[in-house]
Amino acid sequence: MNSPNIMRSDDLKAGNRRRILNTLRKQGPLTRAEVGKLTGLSQAALSAQFSLLTEQGVVTSENKNLDVQKRGRPKTTVALDPTAASVVTIALMIDQMSFSLVDYAGNVLSRSDINIDTRSLDTTQLFDITVKGVNDIVRPLGINRLKAISIGFQGVTNSSTGELLWSPILTMDRVPIGAMLEDRFGVSVSVNNDCGLITKALHVQEKDKLGNRFGAVLFAHGIGLGLYLDGTPFTGPTSSAMELGHIQFEKDGALCRCGKHGCIEAYAADYGIQRTALDPSSLNIPTGPLTDEAFGQLVVAAKNNDQSAIDAFATAGKAIGFGLDTLYTLLEPLPIALIGHNADAVHMIRTEIENALTDAGRNPSDIAGLLHCFHDALQLLQKGLVLEGVSVVDELFADSAVDKTLETS
């Protein structure tokens, strides 16, 4: 008869802990009074939850001396304890995997990059390489402190099941990497599309510029789109859903890595830009990544008035502009972050995107204010991976009072 009330009480306490941890992660270190003001929790509720969180080693307190000219007791602040847990982030990119070890406060402690031919891997090989990468990077702190693994990659994911549904950088589909790693390490594993993770990072880093509703277009070995709507990255019912790069731009046009012809990616991805500049009639698609040096040469050629290179970047911008016009037909125009690994390239493409949207009937002054350029794609992806990983641990610690197995070792 009393179990419903008990469950409601546990849910309320877990919710209070969640609010405390979220506040400390975004604003900390803070005094208890400041936490109370920001969360709206009473001092009695705060005291009870801080006692539990301190006992579990999730938060730590520090006395900070006031200015010597001021009177009063030292100021006591609370913060997330970096040693409470560790997270491993994994960025799976074309021919590379990047592993990072992160503490509970969100600090990156170490990083390891592995160069591999991603398209030659089968499921077992991908799993074995991933397990070795995790074991190697957690070795200094020990596996017992590991509480979550956060994976981001280019392609379509099912976040609820942890599957890699499809990616142009792999030859196999429906890889249950999340479940496989959970079974191997006994920790929570989150699997997300890279653009979705980038939107999480942008919302923290560029909220004043982008607001709570925006999109992010990533220019890399492929073309990705992430949407951040009303406080959360958008996903479809069963997948990451946002495949802007595979909207058809030209009927029977250039060959895309997905096997279709005329996709936006076939013109706007780095390999598409290179192909258009050097040999637009070619059907060849590079199996590996276009190096920064090779792409930089295209940028330099365009800046030096090489017409073929200029035309290639112009075509890329037109293709992206076509895709954004389609998006704006479905949603009201919203800010768009244009992200790439070369600042000059992003700015060149931006000009043609604006022209394409204007040609489609969009107001030029509105469009100019909606497009924002960034060129730190890998940094944003890493930040998104960290935010995702530590938020998973926050949820585990918020619920830990009713599941004692989640207490830190």
Side-chain angles (χ1 to χ4, degrees):
M1 294 294 292
N2 294 327
S3 59
N5 290 330
I6 294 174
M7 288 300 296
R8 283 195 292 270
S9 175
D10 285 339
D11 288 344
L12 177 61
K13 292 176 181 177
N16 289 344
R17 288 191 293 276
R18 196 169 290 113
R19 290 160 71 182
I20 292 169
L21 295 176
N22 287 342
T23 300
L24 289 175
R25 187 162 300 285
K26 293 177 181 178
Q27 307 285 342
L30 300 168
T31 66
R32 294 194 179 199
E34 289 169 335
V35 175
K37 183 177 180 179
L38 291 169
T39 62
L41 297 176
S42 68
Q43 286 303 309
L46 283 174
S47 180
Q49 296 310 320
F50 273 125
S51 294
L52 175 62
L53 292 169
T54 302
E55 179 184 348
Q56 290 181 311
V58 179
V59 301
T60 184
S61 300
E62 180 181 357
N63 290 329
K64 292 189 175 181
N65 293 326
L66 295 173
D67 189 288
V68 293
Q69 295 181 348
K70 296 181 180 179
R71 297 181 179 180
R73 292 181 297 178
K75 181 179 180 181
T76 301
T77 62
V78 289
L80 302 175
D81 189 335
T83 66
S86 63
V87 171
V88 169
T89 69
I90 306 172
L92 177 56
M93 300 165 284
I94 178 71
D95 289 354
Q96 186 182 71
M97 293 183 74
S98 179
F99 297 81
S100 292
L101 180 64
V102 182
D103 67 24
Y104 183 54
N107 303 306
V108 177
L109 304 177
S110 61
R111 174 174 165 171
S112 173
D113 295 332
I114 300 175
N115 295 319
I116 49 174
D117 181 358
T118 53
R119 290 185 60 81
S120 71
L121 301 176
D122 59 27
T123 298
T124 299
Q125 291 170 327
L126 175 63
F127 176 67
D128 289 344
I129 290 171
T130 305
V131 168
K132 184 179 186 305
V134 173
N135 279 325
D136 287 347
I137 203 162
V138 302
R139 188 170 289 116
L141 293 182
I143 195 69
N144 289 337
R145 194 180 292 180
L146 180 65
K147 296 298 180 184
I149 298 172
S150 174
I151 303 175
F153 89 122
Q154 178 191 346
V156 185
T157 67
N158 186 327
S159 298
S160 62
T161 64
E163 282 186 289
L164 311 182
L165 298 179
W166 174 85
S167 173
I169 67 175
L170 301 172
T171 56
M172 63 281 199
D173 299 338
R174 306 195 71 88
V175 181
I177 192 68
M180 295 169 73
L181 292 175
E182 285 183 356
D183 288 342
R184 174 62 179 80
F185 292 106
V187 302
S188 294
V189 180
S190 61
V191 180
N192 292 279
N193 170 266
D194 54 359
C195 283
L197 292 165
I198 284 173
T199 63
K200 294 189 75 167
L202 286 169
H203 183 250
V204 172
Q205 184 172 307
E206 305 289 344
K207 184 176 181 180
D208 291 344
K209 183 180 293 183
L210 298 172
N212 286 319
R213 292 175 59 85
F214 64 90
V217 176
L218 176 63
F219 303 89
H221 192 59
I223 299 297
L225 170 68
L227 291 178
Y228 199 91
L229 303 177
D230 301 326
T232 186
F234 172 80
T235 60
T238 60
S239 73
S240 49
M242 295 284 97
E243 287 299 305
L244 180 76
H246 301 292
I247 294 175
Q248 188 177 71
F249 172 58
E250 291 283 355
K251 184 178 181 181
D252 300 324
L255 179 64
C256 179
R257 287 173 309 160
C258 71
K260 299 177 183 178
H261 286 265
C263 295
I264 290 173
E265 179 183 297
Y267 299 93
D270 54 13
Y271 74 87
I273 295 172
Q274 183 191 53
R275 182 174 57 187
T276 302
L278 301 181
D279 187 3
S281 64
S282 173
L283 293 179
N284 293 329
I285 299 175
T287 56
L290 189 65
T291 65
D292 289 346
E293 180 182 4
F295 192 73
Q297 290 173 355
L298 292 174
V299 173
V300 170
K303 293 174 71 174
N304 289 336
N305 298 317
D306 182 300
Q307 195 59 48
S308 295
I310 291 172
D311 290 345
F313 283 105
T315 301
K318 290 175 184 176
I320 293 296
F322 173 83
L324 290 181
D325 182 56
T326 302
L327 176 68
Y328 285 168
T329 301
L330 300 173
L331 300 173
E332 63 181 1
L334 72 171
I336 297 291
L338 305 174
I339 307 158
H341 52 74
N342 186 297
D344 290 328
V346 175
H347 283 284
M348 282 191 290
I349 290 172
R350 171 187 173 149
T351 299
E352 293 302 331
I353 292 174
E354 292 181 2
N355 292 339
L357 289 171
T358 299
D359 291 343
R362 304 289 174 181
N363 188 307
S365 60
D366 290 342
I367 295 304
L370 290 175
L371 301 182
H372 306 274
C373 295
F374 303 91
H375 66 277
D376 48 358
L378 292 180
Q379 178 185 336
L380 288 168
L381 174 57
Q382 177 61 39
K383 184 165 186 172
L385 283 165
V386 171
L387 289 170
E388 173 66 20
V390 294
S391 70
V392 169
V393 182
D394 287 344
E395 291 295 316
L396 295 174
F397 284 144
D399 294 333
S400 61
V402 293
D403 185 355
K404 296 297 184 181
T405 64
L406 294 176
E407 292 183 4
T408 53
S409 301

PDB file of all heavy atoms in Angstrom, residues 219-245:
ATOM      1  N   PHE A 219      31.119  20.365 -42.247  1.00  0.00           N
ATOM      2  CA  PHE A 219      31.814  20.094 -43.503  1.00  0.00           C
ATOM      3  C   PHE A 219      33.047  19.255 -43.188  1.00  0.00           C
ATOM      4  O   PHE A 219      33.982  19.744 -42.559  1.00  0.00           O
ATOM      5  CB  PHE A 219      32.275  21.393 -44.175  1.00  0.00           C
ATOM      6  CG  PHE A 219      31.170  22.369 -44.437  1.00  0.00           C
ATOM      7  CD1 PHE A 219      30.812  23.316 -43.486  1.00  0.00           C
ATOM      8  CD2 PHE A 219      30.488  22.356 -45.638  1.00  0.00           C
ATOM      9  CE1 PHE A 219      29.798  24.217 -43.718  1.00  0.00           C
ATOM     10  CE2 PHE A 219      29.467  23.259 -45.875  1.00  0.00           C
ATOM     11  CZ  PHE A 219      29.120  24.192 -44.916  1.00  0.00           C
ATOM     12  N   ALA A 220      33.057  18.021 -43.619  1.00  0.00           N
ATOM     13  CA  ALA A 220      34.208  17.166 -43.369  1.00  0.00           C
ATOM     14  C   ALA A 220      34.264  16.134 -44.487  1.00  0.00           C
ATOM     15  O   ALA A 220      34.030  16.458 -45.640  1.00  0.00           O
ATOM     16  CB  ALA A 220      34.074  16.514 -41.993  1.00  0.00           C
ATOM     17  N   HIS A 221      34.610  14.884 -44.133  1.00  0.00           N
ATOM     18  CA  HIS A 221      34.624  13.816 -45.128  1.00  0.00           C
ATOM     19  C   HIS A 221      33.207  13.555 -45.638  1.00  0.00           C
ATOM     20  O   HIS A 221      33.018  12.967 -46.698  1.00  0.00           O
ATOM     21  CB  HIS A 221      35.216  12.548 -44.524  1.00  0.00           C
ATOM     22  CG  HIS A 221      35.529  11.491 -45.527  1.00  0.00           C
ATOM     23  ND1 HIS A 221      36.397  11.696 -46.573  1.00  0.00           N
ATOM     24  CD2 HIS A 221      35.084  10.223 -45.647  1.00  0.00           C
ATOM     25  CE1 HIS A 221      36.482  10.595 -47.294  1.00  0.00           C
ATOM     26  NE2 HIS A 221      35.696   9.680 -46.750  1.00  0.00           N
ATOM     27  N   GLY A 222      32.231  14.004 -44.879  1.00  0.00           N
ATOM     28  CA  GLY A 222      30.833  13.976 -45.296  1.00  0.00           C
ATOM     29  C   GLY A 222      30.192  15.286 -44.896  1.00  0.00           C
ATOM     30  O   GLY A 222      30.856  16.209 -44.438  1.00  0.00           O
ATOM     31  N   ILE A 223      28.877  15.362 -45.063  1.00  0.00           N
ATOM     32  CA  ILE A 223      28.122  16.548 -44.657  1.00  0.00           C
ATOM     33  C   ILE A 223      27.101  16.122 -43.617  1.00  0.00           C
ATOM     34  O   ILE A 223      26.247  15.271 -43.878  1.00  0.00           O
ATOM     35  CB  ILE A 223      27.402  17.194 -45.863  1.00  0.00           C
ATOM     36  CG1 ILE A 223      28.402  17.630 -46.913  1.00  0.00           C
ATOM     37  CG2 ILE A 223      26.552  18.379 -45.397  1.00  0.00           C
ATOM     38  CD1 ILE A 223      29.377  18.692 -46.463  1.00  0.00           C
ATOM     39  N   GLY A 224      27.207  16.696 -42.429  1.00  0.00           N
ATOM     40  CA  GLY A 224      26.299  16.333 -41.358  1.00  0.00           C
ATOM     41  C   GLY A 224      25.443  17.508 -40.919  1.00  0.00           C
ATOM     42  O   GLY A 224      25.825  18.664 -41.093  1.00  0.00           O
ATOM     43  N   LEU A 225      24.306  17.195 -40.348  1.00  0.00           N
ATOM     44  CA  LEU A 225      23.404  18.215 -39.802  1.00  0.00           C
ATOM     45  C   LEU A 225      22.942  17.788 -38.426  1.00  0.00           C
ATOM     46  O   LEU A 225      22.499  16.650 -38.228  1.00  0.00           O
ATOM     47  CB  LEU A 225      22.188  18.410 -40.705  1.00  0.00           C
ATOM     48  CG  LEU A 225      21.058  19.285 -40.128  1.00  0.00           C
ATOM     49  CD1 LEU A 225      21.513  20.731 -39.996  1.00  0.00           C
ATOM     50  CD2 LEU A 225      19.798  19.202 -40.994  1.00  0.00           C
ATOM     51  N   GLY A 226      23.056  18.692 -37.476  1.00  0.00           N
ATOM     52  CA  GLY A 226      22.486  18.483 -36.160  1.00  0.00           C
ATOM     53  C   GLY A 226      21.539  19.619 -35.838  1.00  0.00           C
ATOM     54  O   GLY A 226      21.772  20.762 -36.240  1.00  0.00           O
ATOM     55  N   LEU A 227      20.450  19.316 -35.152  1.00  0.00           N
ATOM     56  CA  LEU A 227      19.490  20.332 -34.729  1.00  0.00           C
ATOM     57  C   LEU A 227      19.391  20.331 -33.209  1.00  0.00           C
ATOM     58  O   LEU A 227      19.333  19.269 -32.587  1.00  0.00           O
ATOM     59  CB  LEU A 227      18.107  20.065 -35.320  1.00  0.00           C
ATOM     60  CG  LEU A 227      17.916  20.254 -36.822  1.00  0.00           C
ATOM     61  CD1 LEU A 227      16.480  19.886 -37.218  1.00  0.00           C
ATOM     62  CD2 LEU A 227      18.237  21.677 -37.234  1.00  0.00           C
ATOM     63  N   TYR A 228      19.384  21.514 -32.633  1.00  0.00           N
ATOM     64  CA  TYR A 228      19.187  21.684 -31.200  1.00  0.00           C
ATOM     65  C   TYR A 228      17.892  22.460 -31.026  1.00  0.00           C
ATOM     66  O   TYR A 228      17.810  23.642 -31.388  1.00  0.00           O
ATOM     67  CB  TYR A 228      20.352  22.451 -30.585  1.00  0.00           C
ATOM     68  CG  TYR A 228      20.468  22.285 -29.089  1.00  0.00           C
ATOM     69  CD1 TYR A 228      21.242  21.267 -28.545  1.00  0.00           C
ATOM     70  CD2 TYR A 228      19.809  23.148 -28.219  1.00  0.00           C
ATOM     71  CE1 TYR A 228      21.360  21.109 -27.165  1.00  0.00           C
ATOM     72  CE2 TYR A 228      19.917  22.999 -26.849  1.00  0.00           C
ATOM     73  CZ  TYR A 228      20.693  21.986 -26.324  1.00  0.00           C
ATOM     74  OH  TYR A 228      20.795  21.828 -24.959  1.00  0.00           O
ATOM     75  N   LEU A 229      16.861  21.791 -30.523  1.00  0.00           N
ATOM     76  CA  LEU A 229      15.536  22.394 -30.443  1.00  0.00           C
ATOM     77  C   LEU A 229      15.033  22.388 -29.009  1.00  0.00           C
ATOM     78  O   LEU A 229      14.895  21.328 -28.391  1.00  0.00           O
ATOM     79  CB  LEU A 229      14.550  21.628 -31.341  1.00  0.00           C
ATOM     80  CG  LEU A 229      14.924  21.523 -32.826  1.00  0.00           C
ATOM     81  CD1 LEU A 229      13.894  20.685 -33.574  1.00  0.00           C
ATOM     82  CD2 LEU A 229      15.052  22.902 -33.454  1.00  0.00           C
ATOM     83  N   ASP A 230      14.808  23.576 -28.491  1.00  0.00           N
ATOM     84  CA  ASP A 230      14.192  23.743 -27.169  1.00  0.00           C
ATOM     85  C   ASP A 230      14.927  22.962 -26.080  1.00  0.00           C
ATOM     86  O   ASP A 230      14.331  22.238 -25.290  1.00  0.00           O
ATOM     87  CB  ASP A 230      12.718  23.336 -27.214  1.00  0.00           C
ATOM     88  CG  ASP A 230      11.932  24.151 -28.218  1.00  0.00           C
ATOM     89  OD1 ASP A 230      12.259  25.339 -28.389  1.00  0.00           O
ATOM     90  OD2 ASP A 230      11.007  23.609 -28.847  1.00  0.00           O
ATOM     91  N   GLY A 231      16.244  23.114 -26.058  1.00  0.00           N
ATOM     92  CA  GLY A 231      17.015  22.581 -24.944  1.00  0.00           C
ATOM     93  C   GLY A 231      17.566  21.189 -25.113  1.00  0.00           C
ATOM     94  O   GLY A 231      18.149  20.654 -24.162  1.00  0.00           O
ATOM     95  N   THR A 232      17.430  20.572 -26.285  1.00  0.00           N
ATOM     96  CA  THR A 232      17.961  19.224 -26.448  1.00  0.00           C
ATOM     97  C   THR A 232      18.262  18.939 -27.910  1.00  0.00           C
ATOM     98  O   THR A 232      17.582  19.462 -28.804  1.00  0.00           O
ATOM     99  CB  THR A 232      16.963  18.174 -25.910  1.00  0.00           C
ATOM    100  OG1 THR A 232      17.558  16.880 -25.943  1.00  0.00           O
ATOM    101  CG2 THR A 232      15.696  18.151 -26.746  1.00  0.00           C
ATOM    102  N   PRO A 233      19.281  18.124 -28.199  1.00  0.00           N
ATOM    103  CA  PRO A 233      19.534  17.737 -29.591  1.00  0.00           C
ATOM    104  C   PRO A 233      18.372  16.926 -30.137  1.00  0.00           C
ATOM    105  O   PRO A 233      17.822  16.057 -29.455  1.00  0.00           O
ATOM    106  CB  PRO A 233      20.811  16.886 -29.503  1.00  0.00           C
ATOM    107  CG  PRO A 233      21.453  17.283 -28.219  1.00  0.00           C
ATOM    108  CD  PRO A 233      20.321  17.618 -27.286  1.00  0.00           C
ATOM    109  N   PHE A 234      17.984  17.219 -31.374  1.00  0.00           N
ATOM    110  CA  PHE A 234      16.866  16.517 -31.999  1.00  0.00           C
ATOM    111  C   PHE A 234      17.322  15.174 -32.546  1.00  0.00           C
ATOM    112  O   PHE A 234      18.381  15.052 -33.154  1.00  0.00           O
ATOM    113  CB  PHE A 234      16.285  17.349 -33.144  1.00  0.00           C
ATOM    114  CG  PHE A 234      15.260  16.600 -33.965  1.00  0.00           C
ATOM    115  CD1 PHE A 234      13.954  16.480 -33.516  1.00  0.00           C
ATOM    116  CD2 PHE A 234      15.610  16.002 -35.167  1.00  0.00           C
ATOM    117  CE1 PHE A 234      13.014  15.786 -34.257  1.00  0.00           C
ATOM    118  CE2 PHE A 234      14.677  15.304 -35.916  1.00  0.00           C
ATOM    119  CZ  PHE A 234      13.373  15.195 -35.460  1.00  0.00           C
ATOM    120  N   THR A 235      16.509  14.144 -32.317  1.00  0.00           N
ATOM    121  CA  THR A 235      16.702  12.844 -32.944  1.00  0.00           C
ATOM    122  C   THR A 235      15.359  12.338 -33.438  1.00  0.00           C
ATOM    123  O   THR A 235      14.304  12.784 -32.982  1.00  0.00           O
ATOM    124  CB  THR A 235      17.288  11.805 -31.975  1.00  0.00           C
ATOM    125  OG1 THR A 235      16.394  11.630 -30.869  1.00  0.00           O
ATOM    126  CG2 THR A 235      18.646  12.242 -31.446  1.00  0.00           C
ATOM    127  N   GLY A 236      15.402  11.402 -34.369  1.00  0.00           N
ATOM    128  CA  GLY A 236      14.180  10.768 -34.834  1.00  0.00           C
ATOM    129  C   GLY A 236      13.723   9.717 -33.840  1.00  0.00           C
ATOM    130  O   GLY A 236      14.396   9.439 -32.841  1.00  0.00           O
ATOM    131  N   PRO A 237      12.572   9.081 -34.098  1.00  0.00           N
ATOM    132  CA  PRO A 237      12.053   8.064 -33.174  1.00  0.00           C
ATOM    133  C   PRO A 237      12.999   6.883 -32.976  1.00  0.00           C
ATOM    134  O   PRO A 237      13.062   6.303 -31.897  1.00  0.00           O
ATOM    135  CB  PRO A 237      10.747   7.618 -33.844  1.00  0.00           C
ATOM    136  CG  PRO A 237      10.366   8.750 -34.744  1.00  0.00           C
ATOM    137  CD  PRO A 237      11.658   9.351 -35.214  1.00  0.00           C
ATOM    138  N   THR A 238      13.746   6.528 -34.027  1.00  0.00           N
ATOM    139  CA  THR A 238      14.616   5.358 -33.922  1.00  0.00           C
ATOM    140  C   THR A 238      16.050   5.614 -34.355  1.00  0.00           C
ATOM    141  O   THR A 238      16.872   4.704 -34.338  1.00  0.00           O
ATOM    142  CB  THR A 238      14.063   4.200 -34.780  1.00  0.00           C
ATOM    143  OG1 THR A 238      13.986   4.622 -36.158  1.00  0.00           O
ATOM    144  CG2 THR A 238      12.688   3.783 -34.310  1.00  0.00           C
ATOM    145  N   SER A 239      16.383   6.836 -34.762  1.00  0.00           N
ATOM    146  CA  SER A 239      17.745   7.085 -35.222  1.00  0.00           C
ATOM    147  C   SER A 239      18.069   8.560 -35.086  1.00  0.00           C
ATOM    148  O   SER A 239      17.218   9.387 -34.763  1.00  0.00           O
ATOM    149  CB  SER A 239      17.921   6.659 -36.682  1.00  0.00           C
ATOM    150  OG  SER A 239      17.281   7.563 -37.558  1.00  0.00           O
ATOM    151  N   SER A 240      19.340   8.883 -35.388  1.00  0.00           N
ATOM    152  CA  SER A 240      19.778  10.273 -35.331  1.00  0.00           C
ATOM    153  C   SER A 240      19.145  11.119 -36.419  1.00  0.00           C
ATOM    154  O   SER A 240      19.072  12.339 -36.311  1.00  0.00           O
ATOM    155  CB  SER A 240      21.306  10.341 -35.430  1.00  0.00           C
ATOM    156  OG  SER A 240      21.786   9.560 -36.507  1.00  0.00           O
ATOM    157  N   ALA A 241      18.705  10.512 -37.510  1.00  0.00           N
ATOM    158  CA  ALA A 241      17.766  11.078 -38.484  1.00  0.00           C
ATOM    159  C   ALA A 241      18.309  12.143 -39.431  1.00  0.00           C
ATOM    160  O   ALA A 241      17.931  12.167 -40.590  1.00  0.00           O
ATOM    161  CB  ALA A 241      16.527  11.649 -37.758  1.00  0.00           C
ATOM    162  N   MET A 242      19.173  13.035 -38.997  1.00  0.00           N
ATOM    163  CA  MET A 242      19.509  14.210 -39.791  1.00  0.00           C
ATOM    164  C   MET A 242      20.579  13.904 -40.847  1.00  0.00           C
ATOM    165  O   MET A 242      21.768  13.974 -40.580  1.00  0.00           O
ATOM    166  CB  MET A 242      20.007  15.334 -38.885  1.00  0.00           C
ATOM    167  CG  MET A 242      18.967  15.872 -37.925  1.00  0.00           C
ATOM    168  SD  MET A 242      17.770  16.944 -38.726  1.00  0.00           S
ATOM    169  CE  MET A 242      16.427  15.811 -39.022  1.00  0.00           C
ATOM    170  N   GLU A 243      20.159  13.553 -42.055  1.00  0.00           N
ATOM    171  CA  GLU A 243      21.090  13.215 -43.132  1.00  0.00           C
ATOM    172  C   GLU A 243      21.001  14.245 -44.247  1.00  0.00           C
ATOM    173  O   GLU A 243      20.608  13.944 -45.377  1.00  0.00           O
ATOM    174  CB  GLU A 243      20.802  11.805 -43.649  1.00  0.00           C
ATOM    175  CG  GLU A 243      21.241  10.712 -42.699  1.00  0.00           C
ATOM    176  CD  GLU A 243      22.740  10.734 -42.424  1.00  0.00           C
ATOM    177  OE1 GLU A 243      23.527  10.689 -43.388  1.00  0.00           O
ATOM    178  OE2 GLU A 243      23.118  10.814 -41.244  1.00  0.00           O
ATOM    179  N   LEU A 244      21.378  15.479 -43.940  1.00  0.00           N
ATOM    180  CA  LEU A 244      21.344  16.555 -44.923  1.00  0.00           C
ATOM    181  C   LEU A 244      22.189  16.224 -46.145  1.00  0.00           C
ATOM    182  O   LEU A 244      21.824  16.548 -47.280  1.00  0.00           O
ATOM    183  CB  LEU A 244      21.857  17.848 -44.280  1.00  0.00           C
ATOM    184  CG  LEU A 244      21.885  19.081 -45.190  1.00  0.00           C
ATOM    185  CD1 LEU A 244      20.483  19.637 -45.374  1.00  0.00           C
ATOM    186  CD2 LEU A 244      22.818  20.151 -44.630  1.00  0.00           C
ATOM    187  N   GLY A 245      23.334  15.562 -45.930  1.00  0.00           N
ATOM    188  CA  GLY A 245      24.250  15.292 -47.021  1.00  0.00           C
ATOM    189  C   GLY A 245      23.695  14.398 -48.094  1.00  0.00           C
ATOM    190  O   GLY A 245      24.230  14.366 -49.219  1.00  0.00           O
TER     191      GLY A 245
END
